Amino acid sequence: VLDAKNWQDEKDLAEVYVRWGGHAFGGGVRGEYQPELFKKRLAVMDLTVKNEENHDTNILSSDDYNGFHGGMINAVRSLSGQAPQSYVGDSSNRGNPAMRTVAEEMKRVVRAEALNPKYIEGLMKHGYKGAMDMANRLSISFQWDATSQVMEDWMYEKYAEKYALDPAMQEWMKDVNPWALQRMAAILLEAEKRELWQAQPETKEALTRLYMEMEGELEERAEG
């Protein structure tokens, strides 16, 4: 639903979460669809936790993390009218487990990984796939914001600056994967349109120009 842009508000996302998650097991019941019971339980939840057990993956590694945990956070907020306290547990070091809010974990991963110059340089060594992974990181960040309201304006601005608007990055992406570059511009513009961030006017203008430029280039490629 998020990828297809087929949603208007958090209620739409909550309905999808209930539709796919509202199946009961136990007490002689095996997968029976009981959406009203699921809604009743979600509406009284105060806290959500998703534990991570290793350093190889994190909340930006796959949209599954947001689909399950972010989807639950959104459904609870939509059904109860109040966002639950939401945490990510880190038990990768069993002797020193950590607990962070989802917002804290998002900041940590974005700073340490997604916007880290060394991480970006590493992805660039993988050409087409590296560019696709950058676009995926941005997309998953946006999706977490849509469900859980965990992105701040500076994070979007930095994504725009480092991923989409940097001249050297643009030239590299145009060469190895122009579709990823257009996708990133589209995601950032969608986030701004949905008022998930207040983009600087010059940033929005530059992203709009970039999107239109890439649309023209990709049409020429398709025709040629």
Side-chain angles (χ1 to χ4, degrees):
V1 171
L2 289 166
D3 277 336
K5 303 180 178 62
N6 189 26
W7 62 285
Q8 294 296 325
D9 53 34
E10 65 178 24
K11 181 180 178 182
D12 293 335
L13 300 179
E15 288 177 353
V16 172
Y17 188 81
V18 170
R19 177 62 187 86
W20 290 99
H23 298 268
F25 292 83
V29 175
R30 296 182 59 83
E32 181 179 316
Y33 184 47
Q34 296 187 17
E36 295 308 315
L37 176 59
F38 193 36
K39 288 179 182 179
K40 182 179 179 181
R41 301 308 305 152
L42 289 168
V44 296
M45 289 179 62
D46 297 317
L47 182 146
T48 70
V49 179
K50 171 70 172 69
N51 193 50
E52 308 301 337
E53 298 181 338
N54 62 72
H55 290 302
D56 294 332
T57 60
N58 56 55
I59 63 174
L60 295 186
S61 297
S62 166
D63 58 10
D64 285 345
Y65 292 91
N66 180 58
F68 288 101
H69 193 186
M72 175 178 284
I73 294 167
N74 175 82
V76 172
R77 186 176 64 247
S78 177
L79 293 167
S80 71
Q82 184 174 348
Q85 296 183 55
S86 298
Y87 295 91
V88 175
D90 180 358
S91 61
S92 55
N93 181 350
R94 298 300 176 90
N96 186 29
M99 187 72 70
R100 306 179 189 92
T101 67
V102 173
E104 289 170 343
E105 181 69 358
M106 176 62 74
K107 289 191 184 82
R108 186 187 73 84
V109 175
V110 167
R111 283 195 182 107
E113 186 173 285
L115 298 178
N116 186 325
K118 291 184 178 180
Y119 180 79
I120 294 173
E121 289 172 9
L123 287 180
M124 292 178 72
K125 295 177 182 178
H126 297 277
Y128 179 93
K129 177 64 164 55
M132 183 174 67
D133 285 345
M134 290 184 196
N136 286 340
R137 292 280 158 148
L138 172 57
S139 176
I140 295 169
S141 298
F142 160 72
Q143 292 180 12
W144 268 107
D145 203 22
T147 60
S148 311
Q149 302 173 353
V150 291
M151 289 282 285
E152 297 180 5
D153 285 357
W154 69 265
M155 300 160 83
Y156 281 114
E157 288 286 344
K158 283 297 183 181
Y159 266 126
E161 174 190 329
K162 290 179 176 288
Y163 279 31
L165 301 180
D166 178 79
M169 181 66 77
Q170 283 188 15
E171 289 305 309
W172 174 74
M173 283 207 172
K174 288 177 182 179
D175 181 50
V176 302
N177 191 340
W179 299 273
L181 182 57
Q182 184 193 40
R183 182 186 175 203
M184 289 193 294
I187 292 167
L188 289 164
L189 289 170
E190 182 183 1
E192 192 278 333
K193 183 178 180 180
R194 292 185 182 276
E195 299 183 345
L196 295 178
W197 71 310
Q198 299 295 317
Q200 296 295 321
E202 58 271 21
T203 302
K204 180 181 178 180
E205 182 180 348
L207 288 169
T208 302
R209 285 198 308 268
L210 174 62
Y211 181 82
M212 298 302 294
E213 175 190 348
M214 295 311 302
E215 186 173 47
E217 287 191 17
L218 293 176
E219 284 182 359
E220 289 181 6
R221 290 190 181 215
E223 293 173 357

